[in-house]
Amino acid sequence: MSDLIKITIDGKSIEVPKGTTILQAARQIGGKYPPAMCYYSSLKNTGGKCRVCLVKVTQGSEANPRPMPKLVASCLTRAEHGMVVENESSQEVIDARNGIVEFC
Ligand code: FES
């Protein structure tokens, strides 16, 4: 069985190792990935504080296709096989990020 899982972000799909976060997968795809202020890939226990990396999960996984009820921090949320995510393609996500940055 493969240890790779498939995730789709803004219509672009990629296979990544299990344990990869949505943010890490988005960075591998390239383009406009979620912004990050408190997450640093080279440091442990970072992320989850600023919320500027929010994304919308419209399909949780292939096994459980229900959407996640709230926007999630992409730096903390692990990708699941069959997960579908909206990043720059969601106005809700853009508005939430803008609201967060306004308070910084
Ligand atoms: S980068 Fe700060 S919560 Fe994700």
Side-chain angles (χ1 to χ4, degrees):
M1 185 171 161
S2 171
D3 280 338
L4 293 177
I5 57 174
K6 180 181 162 191
I7 178 172
T8 303
I9 304 172
D10 286 347
K12 295 179 182 170
S13 298
I14 187 171
E15 287 191 338
V16 295
K18 283 182 182 173
T20 301
T21 64
I22 296 171
L23 179 62
Q24 290 167 335
R27 286 180 173 180
Q28 289 182 43
I29 289 174
K32 280 194 159 187
Y33 45 79
M37 287 173 41
C38 69
Y39 171 76
Y40 300 95
S41 58
S42 55
L43 297 175
K44 287 188 174 183
N45 300 322
T46 61
K49 298 178 178 59
C50 69
R51 315 300 285 179
V52 297
C53 66
L54 290 174
V55 293
K56 184 174 188 174
V57 176
T58 58
Q59 178 173 304
S61 68
E62 189 175 85
N64 182 3
R66 290 181 296 176
M68 292 188 176
K70 295 180 180 177
L71 301 181
V72 298
S74 62
C75 68
L76 292 180
T77 308
R78 295 187 193 283
E80 300 287 342
H81 184 65
M83 181 179 266
V84 178
V85 175
E86 291 181 359
N87 172 34
E88 290 288 318
S89 62
S90 167
Q91 190 60 47
E92 181 184 3
V93 168
I94 302 298
D95 291 345
R97 290 176 185 164
N98 288 341
I100 291 164
V101 172
E102 198 171 304
F103 289 109
C104 292

